[in-house]
Amino acid sequence: MSSEQLLQQIRVNGTVPRHVAIIMDGNGRWARQRNRPREFGHRAGMASVRAVVEAASDAGVEVLTLYAFSSENWHRPHTEVTALMALLELYVRKERRDLKEKGVEVRAVGDLHRLGPRTRAALQSIVDHTRGCERLKLNLAISYGARDEIVNAARRLAERVREGTLMPGEIDEELFQKQLLFAGDPDPDLLIRTSGELRLSNFMLWQLAYTEMYVSELLWPDFGREHLFSAILDFQRRERRFGRVLAG
Ligand code: IPE
Ligand code: IPE
Ligand code: MG
């Protein structure tokens, strides 16, 4: 089936996941297969980002979260980190105008203080430029780690308890969730990880509690429009139970 036929089928089926999150993995292996440096794979992965953002928007997804750089990725060799940051800046420069025209609001989520001033400024520029766009919300998880996110939430609530403005007994899931970086977004309905790895790698540990998972064997630079559509079609065949027993 062509990607447009897949999209047609998605529309016939009806329910589209509101929030899709993707662990974009396998750039390094893609480059190694071609005897090229890892950076070459990261660069190729940018085309997949472009294709997937457009496809998500066409399918009617409301929120797309892309895991672009984890807090643990800071431990990679300096040259690779530098190359990734340069690519991020390039992505912003190249896509800023187009994303706004397509109605994509970009948000940067993570510990952005660890980024260099130039990368931070680039991200800020795309966030400012696209603010208020309503067709698709695009979260770029950068320098992001879920444990860190949860610890920071706990710390903020503890501060309020110390100030005397909050009682420990008032802390519930809803209040806790509001302190997290993705507060305001629905939890992901569908999580996609490429390159066949079966792990979360410190991604959205709180928000993924009842998310449907889809693992693709494809390396990220090989993942495109039709593969996102296939993942959504797979999701549409799932029966979500949320721990309950369904009638019938
Ligand atoms: C994903 O590809 C991109 C980032 C983590 C930034 P990898 O760089 O992890 O590629 P593999 O997993 O080594 O193939
Ligand atoms: C997860 O991929 C992080 C991103 C995709 C940004 P990694 O390649 O860093 O994860 P591990 O090391 O295989 O768990
Ligand atoms: Mg990897």
Side-chain angles (χ1 to χ4, degrees):
M1 266 208 263
S2 74
S3 66
E4 294 327 292
Q5 284 169 318
L6 294 171
L7 179 57
Q8 197 51 43
Q9 190 57 50
I10 288 172
R11 295 202 171 121
V12 169
N13 292 351
T15 30
V16 172
R18 290 181 68 194
H19 185 171
V20 176
I22 307 184
I23 303 176
M24 311 184 288
D25 198 15
N27 294 348
R29 277 162 281 176
W30 190 90
R32 197 173 56 218
Q33 285 174 354
R34 289 157 180 80
N35 287 317
R36 301 292 294 268
R38 298 177 55 82
E39 291 72 16
F40 183 70
H42 295 315
R43 184 173 282 268
M46 268 177 42
S48 297
V49 171
R50 192 186 162 85
V52 163
V53 168
E54 192 168 319
S57 169
D58 290 347
V61 169
E62 287 172 42
V63 185
L64 175 68
T65 299
L66 299 178
Y67 200 9
F69 191 87
S70 74
S71 46
E72 288 74 27
N73 288 151
W74 287 113
H75 301 299
R76 290 191 179 193
H78 182 68
T79 48
E80 181 172 350
V81 171
T82 309
L84 278 164
M85 293 303 146
L87 275 176
L88 202 55
E89 291 165 32
L90 180 67
Y91 175 79
V92 167
R93 262 205 317 279
K94 271 178 63 174
E95 304 291 333
R96 212 172 66 142
R97 203 206 268 129
D98 216 39
L99 287 169
K100 181 169 177 137
E101 273 169 16
K102 294 200 171 111
V104 180
E105 179 180 82
V106 180
R107 299 176 290 192
V109 181
D111 185 3
L112 305 179
H113 298 293
R114 293 179 77 179
L115 299 171
R118 216 180 47 205
T119 314
R120 213 167 41 231
L123 279 171
Q124 194 58 50
S125 79
I126 198 167
V127 168
D128 291 341
H129 192 69
T130 60
R131 186 170 288 121
C133 290
E134 287 193 332
R135 191 170 164 85
L136 175 74
K137 312 279 177 207
L138 172 62
N139 294 320
L140 300 176
I142 293 162
S143 187
Y144 171 83
R147 286 186 170 179
D148 191 48
E149 176 192 28
I150 291 168
V151 167
N152 281 325
R155 190 180 298 125
R156 263 197 295 280
L157 291 173
E159 294 286 357
R160 282 171 56 187
V161 170
R162 191 179 57 175
E163 287 165 5
T165 56
L166 180 69
M167 299 286 283
E170 292 176 294
I171 300 175
D172 57 10
E173 288 187 15
E174 196 189 331
L175 184 66
F176 196 89
Q177 188 269 340
K178 284 196 179 126
Q179 317 303 315
L180 296 171
L181 295 171
F182 294 96
D185 289 339
D187 288 342
D189 303 290
L190 172 64
L191 170 73
I192 299 172
R193 182 163 187 155
T194 56
S195 87
E197 305 294 352
L198 301 171
R199 56 178 173 266
L200 292 177
S201 302
N202 202 13
F203 187 49
M204 300 184 87
L205 297 180
W206 173 281
Q207 296 86 351
L208 293 174
Y210 267 101
T211 301
E212 296 292 326
M213 305 196 322
Y214 179 92
V215 174
S216 166
E217 293 300 321
L218 293 174
L219 303 174
W220 178 249
D222 293 325
F223 193 89
R225 181 177 179 84
E226 67 271 37
H227 307 110
L228 181 76
F229 291 160
S230 296
I232 293 176
L233 281 168
D234 192 89
F235 169 86
Q236 290 178 320
R237 286 192 290 269
R238 309 265 181 106
E239 177 187 78
R240 300 183 82 186
R241 302 206 186 106
F242 300 98
R244 296 157 199 246
V245 178
L246 298 182

